[in-house]
Amino acid sequence: YSVVFAQTGLSSDATGTVVTIDGSAKAFGDFPFSKWVDYGGSVSYSYSSIVSSTISGKQFRLNSATGPSSPISVTGPVTVTGNYVAQYLITFAQTGLNSTATGTVVTVNSVTKAYSNLPYSFWVDYGSSITYSYGSVISSSVADTRFRLNSVSGLASPITVTGSVTVTGDYVVQY
């Protein structure tokens, strides 16, 4: 019987192993991949949870797999599909602050980040929304000193993710 391995959500920039079938790695260009298996035979497979991209700041995350789970005991034709979603690297950074900055610098999707946590980068599914806000004034551990938000470069909040993004809060020292 024919056992077919397919994928959805990957594009031609996908690179590296997508699925390993009976120990043999298959890449984007191998899809769809079919294998003939005798009745009662077994096929083991594992889709990669993350597939890299040739585009910087992009990757693909395995969202689900449809079809019988591994190992498959073959009793008829079968198709297994790995369903992927594109993800992009989102980064929040700062300029103008130093190690004397205290407290929250930026809040991203209700998660607070201090000076020591920046830059803060994470992968986000295509089409997702991200909200953020930079603190307008950041305290300093040095007396009579603080940092004022001068500008923010990058996309405005909320961001609908369609590519890799870096957002930077630019601060100036006030005395």
Side-chain angles (χ1 to χ4, degrees):
Y1 291 101
S2 175
V3 179
V4 177
F5 292 88
Q7 62 79 25
T8 64
L10 297 177
S11 53
S12 60
D13 56 290
T15 184
T17 301
V18 175
V19 64
T20 302
I21 304 164
D22 290 334
S24 177
K26 303 300 175 194
F28 176 79
D30 297 324
F31 286 91
F33 177 80
S34 61
K35 176 177 181 147
W36 288 97
V37 180
D38 292 340
Y39 179 88
S42 179
V43 177
S44 294
Y45 71 90
S46 174
Y47 278 90
S48 298
S49 58
I50 297 294
V51 175
S52 298
S53 170
T54 57
I55 298 171
S56 179
K58 181 180 180 183
Q59 68 180 19
F60 301 92
R61 178 182 60 80
L62 181 64
N63 194 40
S64 66
T66 55
S69 58
S70 181
I72 302 168
S73 181
V74 179
T75 58
V78 66
T79 298
V80 181
T81 304
N83 303 296
Y84 287 86
V85 61
Q87 289 189 315
Y88 292 94
L89 187 62
I90 308 301
T91 301
F92 289 88
Q94 62 77 30
T95 60
L97 297 178
N98 61 41
S99 61
T100 67
T102 61
T104 298
V105 175
V106 63
T107 302
V108 181
N109 288 344
S110 302
V111 176
T112 60
K113 296 295 173 183
Y115 170 80
S116 61
N117 304 125
L118 298 176
Y120 170 54
S121 297
F122 58 105
W123 292 96
V124 180
D125 291 353
Y126 175 88
S128 295
S129 182
I130 299 171
T131 59
Y132 72 89
S133 63
Y134 278 87
S136 57
V137 174
I138 307 299
S139 298
S140 171
S141 59
V142 174
D144 301 320
T145 304
R146 68 181 191 173
F147 304 92
R148 180 185 55 80
L149 183 63
N150 189 48
S151 64
V152 176
S153 62
L155 297 176
S157 183
I159 299 170
T160 299
V161 176
T162 59
S164 186
V165 173
T166 297
V167 179
T168 305
D170 177 45
Y171 287 86
V172 293
V173 179
Q174 288 185 320
Y175 299 99

